[in-house]
Amino acid sequence: MQILNKFIVATIPLVPRPIVRYFANRYIAGEELIDAVNTVRFLNSQNMMATMDVLGESITKEEEALNAKQAAITTLKTITNENLNSNLSIKLTQLGLKLDKEFCFQNVRDIVKTAAELKNFVRIDMEDSSCTDDTIEIYMKLRKEFTNVGIVLQAYLKRTETDAIMLMNNGLKNFRLCKGIYIEPPTIAFKKKSEINQNFMKVLKIMFENKAYVGIATHDEELVMNSYKLISDMGLKKDEYEFQMLLGVRPELRSNIVKDGHRLRVYVPYGHHWYKYSIRRFKENPEIAGYVFKSIFTRNTFK
Ligand SMILES: Cc1cc2nc3c(=O)[nH]c(=O)nc-3n(C[C@H](O)[C@H](O)[C@H](O)COP(=O)(O)OP(=O)(O)OC[C@H]3O[C@@H](n4cnc5c(N)ncnc54)[C@H](O)[C@@H]3O)c2cc1C
């Protein structure tokens, strides 16, 4: 990231929350479950699937994890009751990973069990590298009991190819593949865009060769086009993969992917804990971060 962009992003914490919220609106469905339901209903009407996410991460009290579990279960039940085409994405640090691994496992198990009863699916998001081993361990333990759960792997991590092969050798073949959003050291992560993209395509090919189902999660046109080519070269059927994009990011590209006849799922975050998620999205988009920065000097506009 250029020095100016870095500076702009570093100043965002100084921006009053109502202003941050104004710019965050494009990335989140809203604070209430009904907001997410309406967003998913709209996406479904556009021939797009969804994955709903109750915002929150890195909780510090067991009570918060139990509340997050309850919100996830309520979301799953609402998806069924409202007849929505959506599954659920969860973050393990929101469910107590950093408090106690076994407590976290039991919370996730309750969510995945509810999803199984409702014939739905849970995707475990991947967080920073301090969580990778535990996330994989919990996922593998869950898969001994349930089939309706998948994991995310990040193309920027050098270990990802090995992780993907290890999981597939254990018969676990349902992935979301993304670049990765957290700041990781060069000892464990590729830093250059070209290297990350190269690894993304390398791992995607290995996954497809092993007959894995992959959610190709990117807004990068180069990766989308290279994936199209790989899908066509390997003769994959439409139901053997899907594209995935975040709410509010490149809606024109997502419409094109659907027009081109591919399945597409939109990540729909909602809830009161929107701040950290939105800051990560601003960091990917210096233009928006710039608007937020400029608004420090025009506060009155956003009361
Ligand atoms: C469905 C989904 C789930 C994800 N789950 C995880 C996860 O579990 N763990 C994890 O570490 N990461 C996750 N990510 C984030 C991912 O790792 C990347 O950080 C993010 O998608 C940006 O990478 P990109 O592939 O879109 O490529 P980039 O090169 O970053 O972006 C390509 C282009 O997309 C546009 N763009 C990208 N981001 C934005 C933005 N915020 N606002 C406006 N335009 C933008 C820009 O035009 C940019 O040039 C997920 C992403 C998606 C789509």
Side-chain angles (χ1 to χ4, degrees), residues 27 126 154 176 179-181 218-219 249 281 284-285:
Y27 297 120
M126 188 58 83
Q154 298 153 320
R176 172 193 299 151
K179 287 189 186 180
I181 181 66
T218 183
H219 320 95
V249 182
R281 300 284 78 83
E284 289 167 327
N285 188 353

Side-chain angles (χ1 to χ4, degrees), residues 138-149:
I138 287 180
Y139 170 58
M140 292 183 79
K141 199 167 156 191
L142 285 164
R143 280 299 310 261
K144 291 200 172 116
E145 219 181 327
F146 304 101
T147 54
N148 64 316
V149 55

Side-chain angles (χ1 to χ4, degrees), residues 27 31 61 88 95 108 117 133 146 179 187 258 294:
Y27 297 120
E31 294 199 1
K61 297 190 201 90
L88 181 78
L95 295 158
V108 183
E117 286 159 6
D133 283 331
F146 304 101
K179 287 189 186 180
T187 42
V258 172
K294 276 183 210 147

Side-chain angles (χ1 to χ4, degrees), residues 3-96:
I3 292 170
L4 179 63
N5 290 341
K6 271 193 179 159
F7 171 73
I8 287 173
V9 165
T11 56
I12 288 180
L14 302 174
V15 178
R17 277 171 89 94
I19 297 178
V20 176
R21 179 57 208 272
Y22 176 87
F23 287 100
N25 276 341
R26 69 182 274 188
Y27 297 120
I28 55 171
E31 294 199 1
E32 307 301 334
L33 179 53
I34 184 69
D35 300 321
V37 168
N38 290 336
T39 301
V40 172
R41 195 167 280 131
F42 170 76
L43 292 166
N44 288 170
S45 77
Q46 305 293 301
N47 211 9
M48 296 170 194
M49 306 174 287
T51 183
M52 283 158 87
D53 165 55
V54 188
L55 286 165
E57 53 204 276
S58 293
I59 51 90
T60 52
K61 297 190 201 90
E62 289 201 349
E63 194 192 343
E64 292 174 282
L66 296 174
N67 288 341
K69 174 178 86 172
Q70 202 44 54
I73 288 175
T74 303
T75 303
L76 281 168
K77 289 181 177 167
T78 304
I79 290 169
T80 302
N81 293 341
E82 298 288 333
N83 204 13
L84 300 174
N85 186 346
S86 179
N87 60 35
L88 181 78
S89 288
I90 56 171
K91 285 192 174 46
L92 296 192
T93 62
Q94 188 184 10
L95 295 158

